[in-house]
Amino acid sequence: MTSTFYGYSGFYKGHCLRSSLEYIYAKYLDYKEISWIYEGKTYTFSNGVRYKPDFLLETGEYVEIKGTFNFDYDLPKIRQFESNYAVKVLILQEKDQPSREGLVVEKNCFSVSGHT
């Protein structure tokens, strides 16, 4: 699947979001009134591999946003993080993102209708 959402990266609420998908998800969480932290901490495993989850939600759930998912590169890091810290990571790909209904394009950015 080819993504059409990678054109935006920029600041939202003081966070430098790396993709349109992350921007859309952050706006969605705000719309749903779910508190979140973006890339709050980098974890270094005993083998030197580093991992920084995209979002930590107020529920304690970690969320990783991916346009495309590299099972050979991304999944081992996520599984090691889950194992080392006894947590689960929800992996959302572009196809899993909140519906685009209600989203409008403003200055090359996406926003939830009625919310800025």
Side-chain angles (χ1 to χ4, degrees):
M1 170 199 265
T2 302
S3 174
T4 58
F5 286 112
Y6 294 107
Y8 175 81
S9 65
F11 287 90
Y12 174 67
K13 290 193 170 184
H15 301 280
C16 182
L17 302 172
R18 298 173 190 260
S19 74
S20 295
L21 296 175
E22 291 176 351
Y23 181 83
I24 291 168
Y25 190 65
K27 295 286 283 188
Y28 172 79
L29 291 172
D30 286 347
Y31 177 74
K32 292 294 201 175
E33 299 181 351
I34 299 170
S35 297
W36 51 273
I37 297 171
Y38 178 73
E39 292 190 345
K41 182 177 178 182
T42 300
Y43 297 86
T44 303
F45 306 138
S46 60
N47 62 359
V49 171
R50 296 170 48 140
Y51 175 65
K52 184 185 290 190
D54 290 331
F55 290 89
L56 172 59
L57 307 184
E58 64 187 14
T59 60
E61 182 177 32
Y62 290 92
V63 179
E64 186 69 34
I65 305 294
K66 295 290 183 190
T68 57
F69 191 75
N70 182 328
F71 285 90
D72 295 329
Y73 178 76
D74 295 320
L75 192 57
K77 284 198 302 188
I78 292 169
R79 293 297 180 238
Q80 186 174 2
F81 175 70
E82 290 177 323
S83 176
N84 288 2
Y85 294 93
V87 297
K88 291 302 267 177
V89 176
L90 175 63
I91 302 167
L92 293 178
Q93 292 180 268
E94 181 175 355
K95 64 183 179 68
D96 301 321
Q97 289 288 303
S99 169
R100 290 175 57 192
E101 183 176 315
L103 296 175
V104 294
V105 177
E106 295 178 356
K107 298 179 188 173
N108 296 325
C109 302
F110 292 90
S111 64
V112 179
S113 295
H115 295 78
T116 56

